């Protein structure tokens, strides 16, 4: 089980990303628009830099929904490999069977 503080930190980051998504998108559109004057684009980039660092979507790290484990994460199921195997062994995941040979 991951530390509660790390899981809570990721939840906080996800909220910040959602809160600032519109502002960041608008500023990025101004920055990428070549028809705008250079000064306006520079001001937009400075405003973007002043936004909280954790409001960027790239700062979010995927974690297992059950344990909070950050490594060996399956995006499709939102689980780590360990929990995936445990749930599959218990028959909790439909269609998944533990292989043996």
């Amino acid at each position: 089980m991951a530390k509660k503080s790390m899981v809570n930190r990721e939840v906080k980051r996800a909220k910040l990303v959602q809160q600032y998504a519109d502002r960041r998108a608008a500023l990025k559109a101004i920055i990428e628009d070549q028809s705008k004057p250079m000064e306006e684009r520079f001001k937009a980039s400075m405003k973007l830099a002043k936004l909280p660092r954790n409001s960027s979507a790239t700062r979010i790290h995927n974690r297992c929904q059950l344990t909070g484990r950050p490594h060996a994460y399956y995006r499709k199921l939102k689980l780590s490999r360990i929990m995936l195997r445990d749930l599959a062994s218990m028959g909790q995941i439909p269609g998944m069977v533990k292989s043996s040979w």
Side-chain angles (χ1 to χ4, degrees):
M1 185 78 184
K3 290 169 57 174
K4 294 280 186 189
S5 61
M6 298 302 285
V7 174
N8 291 338
R9 186 180 298 170
E10 290 298 325
V11 170
K12 183 180 175 184
R13 282 183 183 147
K15 286 180 185 175
L16 271 176
V17 168
Q18 196 172 21
Q19 180 181 349
Y20 285 95
D22 294 336
R23 285 185 225 175
R24 291 184 73 86
L27 289 171
K28 283 185 179 185
I30 293 170
I31 293 167
E32 293 171 6
D33 188 5
Q34 296 293 324
S35 64
K36 302 253 185 202
M38 188 65 174
E39 295 168 358
E40 187 177 342
R41 291 181 10 219
F42 182 72
K43 285 180 184 177
S45 67
M46 295 305 288
K47 284 182 183 179
L48 184 66
K50 289 194 190 259
L51 291 179
R53 196 174 273 182
N54 283 334
S55 67
S56 175
T58 58
R59 304 268 299 185
I60 296 176
H61 199 285
N62 292 328
R63 289 183 173 269
C64 175
Q65 293 285 316
L66 300 177
T67 61
R69 180 181 166 87
H71 299 292
Y73 173 84
Y74 288 94
R75 290 181 184 183
K76 200 170 196 177
L77 301 169
K78 297 184 179 181
L79 295 173
S80 67
R81 65 176 173 83
I82 297 167
M83 290 310 300
L84 179 66
R85 182 160 188 223
D86 286 345
L87 292 175
S89 295
M90 289 186 280
Q92 298 288 325
I93 302 175
M96 189 172 283
V97 186
K98 183 179 171 225
S99 66
S100 60
W101 57 92

